[in-house]
Amino acid sequence: METTRNAEITEESIGLWHKCTQCNEVSFRGELERNGFICPKCKELFPLSIENRLKLLTGENSPDMTDTLSSEIVEPTIDILAIEENIAGYPASLFILASDSPILQQHLTVFSEAVAGALKKSIPLLSVFTANPIEVHISFSEIVPLLLQLEQLAQESLPHLTVLTETGIGQLTSHLPVGEIVIAECTSQSENAPRFHPQPALHAPEEQLLPEKNRELNPNTPDISVDCYIPRLELHTVLARLLKFFAPSPAID
């Protein structure tokens, strides 16, 4: 079953009640905010804007729609971000791609900038993107330079963590390189549906460089394996623990 996405709140949907595109039930805006933008009826994950996603990852104030809903004119929002951020005091180079953005060549450039930042500062890389992109305008050959750059990250023993967003019970598809640790956000551990016929993920950059039969001809790439499913509201805590684990040990005098 293909994951159905809830659209970001726009000028046309400004109000106190918002409709879920999965179950067609309406929910009060405040309830959605308190629930991490998860439909209280069917548990479908509403997509987050780049700004709200960053707040969620860094553990700042809970995501909200105040800016979006209070303005009669909706300002254009960014669809991609590469930035160095601290998560619970541990630095990481972040690459975030909005769920409603098609994957384009320029996104690979921004991803490359995030990798370069991780190499320059010797810090972990955290990539965040949807498990079900709406459109893909890149080929495997265009991704190869990025994979080679990620291999440098592995040679420097710098971890690459990936968070897959908008994960339903359908096939998870990664058109961008994933890290050594792959996390999929979900509603809750108890409500997460089991996946059928999972196939091994190509985690290491050198594995992702291996030619795959009909890779470019077959748009339905194999279901990627996920190391763990983490409830959306617990992502910050789990990422903080992982970054603490990978942080270099203090020098002993």
Side-chain angles (χ1 to χ4, degrees), residues 82-244:
I83 188 174
E84 180 184 340
E85 272 290 348
N86 286 321
I87 298 178
Y90 299 98
S93 181
L94 267 61
F95 166 80
I96 307 177
L97 180 64
S99 60
D100 58 353
S101 174
I103 301 179
L104 306 172
Q105 173 61 46
Q106 54 262 41
H107 295 153
L108 299 181
T109 301
V110 178
F111 201 155
S112 177
E113 293 173 356
V115 179
L119 288 168
K120 181 179 180 180
K121 297 291 186 68
S122 294
I123 57 178
L125 172 69
L126 174 58
S127 57
V128 183
F129 46 84
T130 179
N132 292 279
I134 56 175
E135 293 181 59
V136 180
H137 299 288
I138 56 175
S139 63
F140 174 68
S141 59
E142 292 175 299
I143 301 178
V144 170
L146 178 60
L147 292 173
L148 293 172
Q149 190 181 20
L150 286 168
E151 190 171 4
Q152 297 179 33
L153 204 69
Q155 291 172 355
E156 295 293 329
S157 298
L158 295 173
H160 175 197
L161 314 177
T162 296
V163 175
L164 296 177
T165 66
E166 288 76 49
T167 57
I169 60 174
Q171 183 180 15
L172 301 186
T173 304
S174 173
H175 291 273
L176 291 173
V178 297
E180 294 85 9
I181 297 179
V182 180
I183 300 171
E185 71 168 355
C186 62
T187 52
S188 73
Q189 298 289 9
S190 61
E191 293 162 350
N192 179 50
R195 309 192 64 80
F196 299 98
H197 310 300
Q199 299 182 31
L202 301 178
H203 281 184
E206 61 271 18
E207 291 177 332
Q208 298 184 50
L209 277 170
L210 294 176
E212 180 182 308
K213 184 178 181 181
N214 299 326
R215 181 190 292 269
E216 296 186 1
L217 298 179
N218 182 12
N220 298 316
T221 54
D223 189 15
I224 65 174
S225 66
V226 171
D227 293 297
C228 55
Y229 282 82
I230 303 298
R232 171 177 279 180
L233 297 180
E234 297 178 19
L235 277 174
H236 167 71
T237 301
V238 172
L239 289 173
R241 291 174 180 172
L242 286 171
L243 291 175
K244 180 180 179 180

